[in-house]
Amino acid sequence: QSVLTQPPSVSAAPGQKVTISCSGSSSNIGNNYVSWYQQLPGTAPKLLMYENNKRPSGIPDRFSGSKSGTSVTLGITGLQTGDEADYYCGTWDSSLSAGVFGGGTKVTVL
Amino acid sequence: EVQLLESGGRLVQRGESLRLSCAASGFTFSSYAMTWVRQSPGKGLEWVSSITISGDKTHYGDSVKGRFTVSRDNSKNTLYLQMNSLRAEDTAIYYCAKYADTGRWADFDYWGQGTLVTVSS
């Protein structure tokens, strides 16, 4: 059972938009920045978003992040087949004094 | 080009020890904190351990605390993970990752390809 809660899967047709939620508490998301990772099949995770809504160099603006209270959301617009991957949120939990990840969300392009 | 190359993963018996290495290149290793993250087969990501730039401070996830030790040799640009009293549940791909310039946990901008540790019961 992950400290951060993500939906197991989301799907949409090519060109459409998907959103992935990540829900936590005041000890983690509520008071710390959140990062998002994309993990393509058989590869290492890749930093997709940091400080809730900042994209590292090279990440297209089809990817966006937002935060509200103790939840964050990753949005992907103009969905492409290459976006099929597992997506993870992660942050520090001040109460646990530990880094925590969400359970991951599998994005499927229909 | 930043590169992180893990090594040392193999099949071991329950209770045995193993040391993983992560060779870094393409950046000033001694200027960045580093971390280990693992992923059990078909499962999600789990933070294992982090170490500060100088190695003076280390942090561990509860599941490995007291059994695993992270260290680094800045003269060799190498990160280590000493794993003792291995359990079946430690079976996973172990990734090393570099902290981004923010220095904040969860901002890991480069990852290795991972090394597989299998613990047989």
Side-chain angles (χ1 to χ4, degrees):
Chain A
Q1 198 80 344
S2 302
V3 173
L4 306 180
T5 302
Q6 297 181 234
S9 64
V10 297
S11 61
Q16 297 301 302
K17 175 181 179 178
V18 293
T19 59
I20 302 171
S21 61
C22 174
S23 177
S25 67
S26 59
S27 65
N28 43 65
I29 293 178
N31 284 284
N32 293 291
Y33 284 115
V34 177
S35 294
W36 286 93
Y37 289 88
Q38 176 193 60
Q39 187 175 32
L40 298 171
T43 70
K46 174 184 178 181
L47 183 63
L48 200 63
M49 200 76 58
Y50 66 101
E51 292 183 356
N52 303 330
N53 56 12
K54 296 181 180 178
R55 286 175 285 106
S57 174
I59 302 300
D61 58 7
R62 299 188 299 107
F63 295 90
S64 63
S66 64
K67 176 178 173 178
S68 178
T70 58
S71 294
V72 291
T73 301
L74 175 71
I76 311 174
T77 60
L79 203 59
Q80 302 174 0
T81 55
D83 297 331
E84 285 202 330
D86 294 321
Y87 292 81
Y88 296 90
C89 57
T91 188
W92 184 257
D93 190 298
S94 304
S95 294
L96 298 174
S97 291
V100 291
F101 289 103
T105 299
K106 183 175 183 59
V107 170
T108 301
V109 181
L110 301 173
Chain B
E1 178 191 6
V2 172
Q3 289 194 347
L4 297 170
L5 185 61
E6 302 96 336
S7 61
R10 62 178 177 89
L11 173 65
V12 297
Q13 298 295 312
R14 184 180 57 184
E16 290 187 347
S17 297
L18 196 61
R19 188 176 83 157
L20 305 183
S21 299
C22 171
S25 61
F27 66 102
T28 305
F29 180 72
S30 58
S31 295
Y32 291 92
M34 298 291 292
T35 195
W36 288 96
V37 174
R38 70 184 182 184
Q39 186 170 34
S40 299
K43 302 297 184 181
L45 303 176
E46 179 187 10
W47 173 64
V48 174
S49 179
S50 291
I51 187 168
T52 54
I53 291 171
S54 64
D56 62 332
K57 293 182 181 178
T58 56
H59 303 275
Y60 301 92
D62 281 347
S63 61
V64 306
K65 204 172 293 184
R67 300 187 298 123
F68 290 12
T69 302
V70 62
S71 62
R72 63 191 298 163
D73 187 335
N74 287 342
S75 68
K76 295 183 178 179
N77 292 340
T78 302
L79 175 72
Y80 302 101
L81 185 67
Q82 177 66 42
M83 310 163 66
N84 297 333
S85 302
L86 282 162
R87 306 167 179 169
E89 54 265 37
D90 295 320
T91 294
I93 296 173
Y94 285 74
Y95 297 101
C96 68
K98 166 188 168 293
Y99 276 65
D101 287 343
T102 60
R104 186 173 294 114
W105 193 95
D107 296 350
F108 308 133
D109 56 356
Y110 289 93
W111 295 60
Q113 85 294 342
T115 187
L116 177 62
V117 173
T118 303
V119 182
S120 173
S121 55

